[in-house]
Amino acid sequence: MSAAYPNTDLTMPTDQSRALLSLRNITKQYPTVIANDRVNLDVMPSSIHAILGENGAGKSTLMKLAYGLVEPDAGEIYWQGKQVDLPNTAAARKLGIGMVFQHFSLFETLSVVENISLTMRGNRQTLSKQIREIGERYKLDVNPEASVHSLSVGERQRVEIIRCLMQDLKLLILDEPTSVLPPQHINSLFDALRKLRDNHVAILYISHKLEEIRELCDTATILRAGQVTGTVNPNEKTAKELATLMVGHDVPSIQGQHPKKTSETPFLKLSSLSVESHDPFGTSLSNINLDVHGGEIVGIAGVSGNGQQELSRIISGEVINKQLLPNAINIMDQPAGHLNPAARRLLGFSFVPEERLGRGAVPPMPLSKNALLTAFEKGMLNIGFLKNDTINKYTEKCIEEFDVRCAGPSATANSLSGGNLQKYIVGRELMLAPKLLFVAQPTWGVDIGAATAIRQRLLDLRESGVAILIVSEELEELFEITDRLHVINGGTLSPSLKTSELTPNDIGEYMIGNHQSSIERSGVNHAV
Amino acid sequence: MQFKLDRRVHYSKRMLIATPVIAIALAVLVSSVLLVLLQKPVLLTFHSFFIAPFENFYSITEIFLKFGPLLLIAQALAVGFRAKVWNIGAEGQMIIGAITASAVPVYLVDSTSALLLPAMLILGALGGMGWAAIAAYLKTRFNANEILVTLMLSSIALQILYYLLLGPWKDPMGFNFPQTVMFQDEALFPALFEGVRLNTSIFIPIIFTIGIWLFMEKHFGGFKLVVGGLAPNAATYAGFSSKKAVWSSLLLAGFAAGIAGMSEIAGPIGQLQRSVTSGYGYSAIIVAYLGALNPIGIIFAAFFLAVLQIGGDVALVSADLPISAVHVFQGLLLIFYLATYTFVNYRLRIIRPLTHSNTKPTP
């Protein structure tokens, strides 16, 4: 099907003759949105090309098109000047295109070389040798015999990149590669990527982090609502200019007053909380101590998969550990370790989970029924029967006050955009008037406008004396709104750190366990 | 050319109503072909299936006699299915309900007390619930798959029934037939009309249906079960207990199936015998899905399947069909229904290959 197409066509931009990969007028429509709307893109050989955009701007769809995971509804793809079809990923790999996803596709129980031998011919010894050679050449060191589950996230990412490099790679696509890495590992990733570029591998780099794009990339194509809003040299633009291209208007800033006095007793107190994980790939929590007072925002930083999930579920009551003493978790000075989420809400606790669809909200149910999910104690029931008036009023008030863009209380949760649904869930929980609010990843997958609004809400809430705990992987966010920070690493929590006295690098040290205190903490780890 | 299913943004109401009609049409079409191949009279067969059951008063009452237990069990099963509790052992729960209810007239052969029937009703309900409780306990305590457990419990229930009928409960005057004594009139529901088998037990499923409708549409308890079925993590997040959902779904089904079993032995059959369930426990699964797990839909589905069963009986005789042909038709109906139902939530899209040569790109 890949008919040759004369690359001297007058309607083509001149760049195309030299470009490695060119996309022309690519359009991809999904039932509810146009993910890509007549997108043009030229990736030059030996360059690092950023695709910049907010969540939902169409970055991922574009990358999936380039990797053959999704077929365009209209438009053409050119590879080294020739028109090609990419009906599947095998076709893309054959051309020399490789991709590393945000979520890795490695078997945890197998070793590195075993994982790679699943997709590569050759016996294990030659493969091991190749892995070592590639590792040395590009500074992507990894032990081929190590089991994947024993590797850090950074090492796993290296394995994924090496797997792409084992083939004759010309274009490497990376989807938000730094979102899973601690700051220290980001630099070594960038070194490796630069080395790759100098060895004639082009890199397509998807991100929404402006600073790292300015540092690393030669060209940036910016997407907004499926359309290209500009192709620029990121080094020549300020982060603010890039953000404006990305969002379409000036980015609002948030303001919080200096923290007032905090409450005397903590609203949330975790004392020597240890929970063993039954999942072999889960994280055991060991000896966690944490205080959150009214009138302060405490953050938990860390690379994902270090126990955040487990800790969140223990604090929220979604997992109740029978071995835990009730007073290992104290909410509003009451032992709560044995209480289920509904009972904890009655104490003044409220929780916004990181997964909005399927956990924070029931996808096919209308917003009104989703209000019932946690707010049913707010006069919504009459001897168990639903009071639709009260439910609808609550929902309408939440929609209005929190600026949720939707068709009304009868709109289903899955018809809302990520940002709007998050505003709705946060609103629903805030309308419960909690004394203690726990938010996991408050602005994950949320556009900048909604993220700013949510952060502002949290700051306002702190002024009114609410205790707020935030788990986030976005360091910038934590620096922006928290008063104190803990870093979680391997299921243990660092001591309390004052945010104003920290640099990202300090946190990075704790994230990878390089800090002095990590020695004693790893001792605890083994004891469990 | 390629075909692709795209998820609809909103489910299609038109498709939802059209689904049963299309399913019936397709089932009739395919079985017509089969009938021609079998050299059976096509028109006479469908006449027996769809027209003959309404031709006289007696067979109309017979439709309602079948309608009752189907409706009762299907309503309860649908609640569980919406909570994703897969109880497919209503058959066994029905058998045990029939057995426990029969204990009263079997041991109190001479009693003429007015309390006989209420006692049987309560014992029947408790028997069904007790049988379902085994599955609920194993599920919540050991996470044993309820599909397997309820199914196997049905086989066990059947063996218990056979044992009782061949052993301790066998009618001593019954010429060694595997059945109990005929129950006294006080242990039977009174007939609704002179000379028909339809009796007052028909009101139980109707009242039960109203209750289920209120529970599922208007009550927080139903909401909790539906949330647990649609998004288990959201149910956990909200603090709704999944164990309670398993227990209440199974106990409700056991309750309904137990009463259905009791109404059979205290109604048309009048004694405990081997064919006490007539397969209602399994047919009710079909009814629940045919009614889209909706309390109102299930009323229509139960009625339809009752007609089909009476019609099948007529066709056996008048069109000289084998019993398996009746089952094939019923099976076809379900398959086509489920296939058609896909289009309530999905839309078929035909993809033509992209033509490159004719489209000039615009810069």
Side-chain angles (χ1 to χ4, degrees), chain B residues 65-86:
Chain B
L65 191 70
K66 299 246 174 210
F67 169 73
L70 283 176
L71 181 65
L72 183 61
I73 301 174
Q75 292 288 15
L77 286 183
V79 172
F81 293 159
R82 290 184 75 179
K84 300 244 157 62
V85 177
W86 308 115

Side-chain angles (χ1 to χ4, degrees), chain A residues 423-468:
Chain A
K423 282 197 275 185
Y424 179 74
I425 295 174
V426 169
R428 178 188 70 195
E429 296 308 309
L430 292 192
M431 279 172 66
L432 296 174
K435 298 188 193 78
L436 168 66
L437 178 67
F438 177 25
V439 191
Q441 315 292 357
T443 57
W444 235 2
V446 169
D447 58 89
I448 291 186
T452 314
I454 289 169
R455 288 176 195 156
Q456 185 66 55
R457 280 278 175 183
L458 295 176
L459 288 178
D460 296 346
L461 217 59
R462 175 185 69 185
E463 312 303 324
S464 65
V466 175
I468 303 174

Side-chain angles (χ1 to χ4, degrees), chain A residues 5 9 11-12 25 31-32 72-73 76 83 85 313 318 340-342 345 351 353 358-365 369 372-374 376 381 383-386 428-429, chain B residues 2 4 6-10 214-215 217-221 223 226-227 230-240 243 347 349 353-354 356-357 359-363:
Chain A
Y5 200 75
D9 194 310
T11 54
M12 293 287 161
N25 293 303
T32 45
D73 295 334
E76 300 98 50
Q83 185 170 6
D85 273 335
R313 288 192 148 86
E318 286 164 288
N340 74 16
R345 269 198 301 276
F351 172 48
R359 189 160 160 212
V362 185
M365 279 193 172
K369 285 280 167 70
L372 198 57
L373 203 58
T374 58
F376 59 88
L381 302 177
I383 49 164
F385 284 92
L386 310 183
R428 178 188 70 195
E429 296 308 309
Chain B
Q2 257 184 308
K4 209 178 158 190
D6 277 348
R7 201 174 173 86
R8 289 179 198 265
V9 182
H10 296 290
L214 282 172
F215 181 71
E217 305 290 324
K218 305 283 174 199
H219 196 272
F220 192 52
F223 171 78
V226 175
V227 170
L230 287 174
N233 286 335
T236 315
Y237 161 71
F240 307 156
K243 288 188 177 179
R347 180 202 329 262
R349 202 156 58 101
L354 293 171
H356 301 292
S357 42
T359 47
K360 271 265 164 22
T362 45

Side-chain angles (χ1 to χ4, degrees), chain A residues 103-121:
Chain A
H103 301 282
F104 304 144
S105 45
L106 297 171
F107 290 96
E108 304 215 0
T109 47
L110 300 182
S111 73
V112 172
V113 62
E114 282 167 341
N115 263 289
I116 284 177
S117 69
L118 292 174
T119 51
M120 290 297 299
R121 282 159 192 268

